[in-house]
């Protein structure tokens, strides 16, 4: 008869019974947080086990980075030391249930960082790219969408043409709104779009009426120039009421969008019923969600078509798989957030996740700068409008800590938005 491992390690900490039959243990001996700013801020957690294997996880919460650093350093890392890195689910539950204070972006970001680092370790120990541990590839690659933006409709469409020429099968279109000085998603002249653009929040002015008049003409022109073989997307960025969003959805129906994103703030999930009853334009929501509970009603009632939660903000691979499984039951597909504030570590994790889940929809791609890419050497790549995580063992991404140390944290906040009469509004 085969001897069973001792039960003494019930709490997942090392109990001196290493080497007993059947017990495979990877004791966590250290964990540290690395903060760096290669053109923008990133927070990364590195966990190391007794045999020297290390794994990394993204912990970046745009504009609130240092809150997660403290949560990890002061409250999570002390609980990790001595635990078995292989017990990913148990550690997830330990950090989620064990904190007593559940959910929230800071907590879930910290849990995500631990979770992804542990999956990285497990896959490295197995000698396999992570997606193989998640059931293997369900497709050849992950279709991505790029960002085309410009001050005018013409500039935006020229950018979209450039994306199609590079092989993109899907493009998000955001154009300046006539009569508004600036708006979400549109870069300042000659710059890349990076919303966290001030040491204190910059302020912009918003007019729903002006915005609503500007969107349909953009997509009308886009179909004229780009034709029908490319997927087109648009991000409302939480700025409409349900009835306004319904009107926009109806107006955009002739242009067959792949999705209309964040049409209205999603705290009140029932608000989406009204939009859904009125329009067949597909809806995507969830980049600020941090647990399955934020999307429960939206998914259950089939009020959305794509759930945009992503690895770093929604509890890591472990919790994202739970969200995807629940979504799959309701014909909702994934569409992970992938702006520049999601680090290459998150992108790698999102690609392993996306390649493996049955109900993958699309992945957002906003390429990082060369400086960021140099700090995070990675195996993932882009070809023909698709991304693939690569076949290196683990996540296939690392952080060059020496290089990272050269770029000190620089406080950078997202903007705020006011109505033209000065009322605070949604950004
Ligand atoms: O505003 O990532 O779809 N993408 C987006 C992003 C978010 C930023 C916030 O950190 O909405 O541009
Ligand atoms: Co968005």
């Amino acid at each position: 008869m085969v001897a069973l491992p001792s039960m003494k390690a019930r709490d997942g900490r090392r109990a001196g019974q290493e080497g007993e039959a059947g017990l495979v243990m990877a004791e966590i001996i250290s964990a540290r947080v690395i903060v760096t700013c290669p053109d923008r801020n990133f927070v990364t957690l590195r966990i190391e086990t007794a045999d020297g294997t290390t794994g990394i996880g993204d912990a970046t919460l745009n504009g609130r980075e240092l809150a997660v650093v403290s949560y990890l350093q002061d409250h999570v890392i002390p609980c990790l030391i001595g635990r078995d890195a292989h017990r990913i689910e148990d550690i997830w539950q330990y950090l989620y249930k064990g904190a007593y204070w559940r959910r929230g972006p800071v907590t879930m970001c910290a849990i995500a960082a631990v979770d992804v680092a542990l999956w990285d370790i497990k896959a490295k120990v197995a000698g396999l790219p992570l997606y193989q541990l998640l059931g293997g590839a369900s497709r050849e690659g992950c279709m991505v969408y790029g960002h085309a933006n410009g001050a005018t409709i013409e500039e935006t469409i020229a950018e979209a043409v450039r994306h199609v020429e590079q092989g993109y099968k899907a493009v998000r279109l955001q154009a300046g709104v006539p009569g508004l000085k600036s708006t979400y998603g549109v870069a300042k002249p000659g710059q890349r779009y990076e919303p966290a653009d001030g040491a204190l929040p910059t302020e912009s002015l918003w007019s729903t009426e002006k915005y609503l008049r500007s969107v349909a003409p953009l997509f009308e022109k886009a179909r004229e120039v780009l034709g029908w073989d490319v997927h087109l997307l648009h991000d409302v960025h939480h700025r409409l009421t349900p009835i306004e969003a319904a009107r926009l959805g109806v107006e955009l129906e002739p242009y067959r969008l792949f999705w209309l994103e964040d049409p209205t703030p999603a705290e009140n999930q029932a608000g989406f019923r009204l939009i859904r009853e009125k329009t067949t334009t597909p809806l995507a929501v969830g980049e600020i969600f941090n647990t399955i509970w934020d999307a429960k009603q939206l998914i259950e009632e089939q009020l959305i078509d794509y759930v945009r939660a992503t690895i770093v903000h929604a509890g890591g691979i472990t919790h994202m798989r739970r969200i995807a499984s629940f979504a799959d039951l309701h014909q909702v597909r994934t569409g992970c957030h992938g702006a520049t504030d999601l680090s290459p570590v998150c992108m790698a994790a999102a690609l392993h996740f996306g390649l493996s889940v049955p109900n993958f929809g699309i992945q957002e791609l906003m390429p990082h700068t060369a400086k960021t890419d140099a700090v995070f050497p990675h195996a993932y790549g882009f070809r023909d409008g698709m991304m693939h995580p690569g076949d290196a063992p683990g996540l296939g991404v690392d952080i060059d800590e020496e290089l990272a140390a050269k770029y000190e944290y620089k406080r950078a906040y997202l903007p705020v938005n006011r109505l033209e009469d000065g009322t605070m509004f949604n950004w």
Side-chain angles (χ1 to χ4, degrees), residues 145 172 184 235 237-238 261-262 287 308 337 364:
Y145 69 92
R172 185 186 97 158
Y184 166 77
D235 191 351
H237 219 264
H238 329 269
E261 176 179 334
D262 289 333
E287 67 188 37
R308 278 182 50 68
H337 189 201
E364 181 177 15

Side-chain angles (χ1 to χ4, degrees), residues 312-356:
V312 57
H313 296 137
I317 302 263
T318 297
H319 197 64
M320 280 297 292
R321 289 178 88 207
R322 201 150 281 142
I323 294 175
S325 298
F326 181 57
D328 192 33
L329 299 180
H330 301 86
Q331 291 171 288
V332 173
R333 295 194 288 161
T334 67
C336 288
H337 189 201
T340 41
D341 48 302
L342 296 304
S343 93
V345 184
C346 179
M347 175 56 88
L351 292 172
H352 288 282
F353 164 80
L355 196 68
S356 60

